């Protein structure tokens, strides 16, 4: 390991993405990669031993919701910064990630230079988000507590959004309950709340909209 380097740990289930990030980070003289994981469970098992300065993670992991993992890591390693690098729309997920404990959010489509800037910002104790997300947050703070208009999908809680995504992936309620370690009755309650908040007629409408949103990022 290079001397006096600040260390980064990568959590992403795509090996090609991790490979690219490793080379990007190690191209910087004062940064190094302490380790990497392809799942939340692997990350949680390795991170306490490595104690990196920064964790870069994706929100889409095979075994755990990324927002829940951020909360776990914030409790497990309170001194370690967390930067989300994800394909998920920042207008919907950036604020949720920050509320969970992350210190930055970057879309995977951004240029390498922007990602390096985000890494350095979070390592230096600053928050890094895009200008549009920053404007949204500042606008919300200056409304003096009066909530602005929200899209229907933004009305969903983190858990409801997670259930909505799993429905869109074609996963049945029993498996959703098993994956999230909750009861089927709780899944059914989440489905009912989602239908109410999105103004959907019935279960079939819920499935159609969930699939559409998962595939296109839009409701129709």
């Amino acid at each position: 390991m290079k001397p006096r380097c600040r260390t980064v740990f990568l959590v992403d289930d795509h090996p090609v993405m991790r490979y690219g990030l490793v080379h990007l980070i190690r191209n910087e003289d004062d940064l190094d990669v302490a380790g990497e994981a392809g799942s939340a469970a692997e990350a949680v098992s390795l991170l306490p031993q490595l104690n990196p300065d920064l964790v870069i993670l994706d929100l889409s992991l095979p075994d755990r919701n990324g927002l829940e993992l951020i909360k776990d890591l914030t409790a497990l390693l309170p001194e370690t910064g967390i930067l989300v690098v994800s394909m998920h729309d920042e207008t919907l997920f950036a604020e949720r990630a920050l509320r969970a404990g992350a210190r930055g959010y970057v879309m995977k489509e951004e240029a390498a230079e922007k990602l390096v800037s985000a890494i350095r910002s979070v390592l230096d104790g600053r928050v890094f988000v895009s200008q549009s997300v920053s404007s949204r947050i500042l606008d919300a703070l200056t409304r003096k507590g009066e909530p602005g208009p929200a899209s229907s999908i933004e009305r969903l809680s983190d858990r409801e959004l997670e259930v909505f995504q799993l429905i869109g992936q074609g996963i049945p309620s029993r498996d959703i309950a098993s994956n999230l370690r909750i009861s089927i009755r709780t899944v059914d309650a989440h489905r009912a709340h989602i239908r109410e908040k999105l103004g959907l007629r019935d279960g079939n409408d819920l499935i159609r909209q969930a699939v559409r949103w998962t595939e296109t990022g839009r409701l129709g």
Side-chain angles (χ1 to χ4, degrees):
M1 183 178 293
K2 295 173 283 188
R4 293 183 299 179
C5 282
R6 292 186 289 182
T7 56
V8 181
F9 188 92
L10 308 175
V11 187
D12 195 301
D13 64 333
H14 293 94
V16 173
M17 182 66 188
R18 296 200 309 270
Y19 179 84
L21 287 172
V22 167
H23 282 267
L24 176 68
I25 292 166
R26 287 184 171 160
N27 195 46
E28 302 295 315
D29 291 338
D30 59 337
L31 302 176
D32 200 4
V33 176
E36 54 185 276
S39 68
E42 188 180 5
V44 170
S45 69
L46 293 174
L47 278 167
Q49 312 163 40
L50 299 172
N51 196 26
D53 299 298
L54 176 70
V55 174
I56 294 178
L57 63 81
D58 188 10
L59 293 181
S60 297
L61 297 169
D63 59 339
R64 188 159 177 76
N65 175 264
L67 295 174
E68 294 300 316
L69 178 60
I70 291 171
K71 296 172 186 176
D72 289 346
L73 296 184
T74 300
L76 185 66
L77 300 168
E79 301 302 317
T80 298
I82 299 174
L83 171 64
V84 174
V85 179
S86 179
M87 63 179 290
H88 289 297
D89 186 357
E90 63 180 5
T91 61
L92 180 58
F93 285 94
E95 291 182 61
R96 293 175 187 264
L98 294 179
R99 287 198 300 268
R103 299 290 294 173
Y105 195 104
V106 180
M107 298 284 288
K108 284 186 175 180
E109 63 193 35
E110 295 290 352
E113 294 79 7
K114 187 167 184 178
L115 178 54
V116 171
S117 295
I119 290 171
R120 295 192 182 283
S121 292
V122 176
L123 282 170
D124 291 340
R126 301 190 300 273
V127 173
F128 188 96
V129 292
S130 70
Q131 184 60 51
S132 61
V133 171
S134 178
S135 297
R136 281 165 56 94
I137 294 173
L138 289 174
D139 183 53
L141 290 173
T142 56
R143 288 196 207 105
K144 299 180 180 179
E146 297 179 5
S151 70
S152 54
I153 199 73
E154 289 177 319
R155 299 189 187 108
L156 301 183
S157 69
D158 290 346
R159 180 63 92 186
E160 289 165 354
L161 181 60
E162 185 176 10
V163 170
F164 191 58
Q165 288 179 293
L166 293 172
I167 293 171
Q169 295 167 16
I171 300 175
S173 291
R174 184 174 297 277
D175 291 338
I176 292 175
S178 176
N179 290 345
L180 301 183
R181 299 182 179 88
I182 57 179
S183 69
I184 294 180
R185 179 176 296 180
T186 301
V187 174
D188 290 340
H190 285 314
R191 292 174 69 108
H193 293 153
I194 293 167
R195 284 172 51 193
E196 179 181 356
K197 290 181 179 181
L198 299 186
L200 305 177
R201 295 185 301 276
D202 51 32
N204 290 332
D205 197 16
L206 171 61
I207 293 172
R208 284 194 297 271
Q209 292 294 345
V211 170
R212 176 179 173 82
W213 188 81
T214 301
E215 293 178 347
T216 68
R218 296 189 302 273
L219 298 174

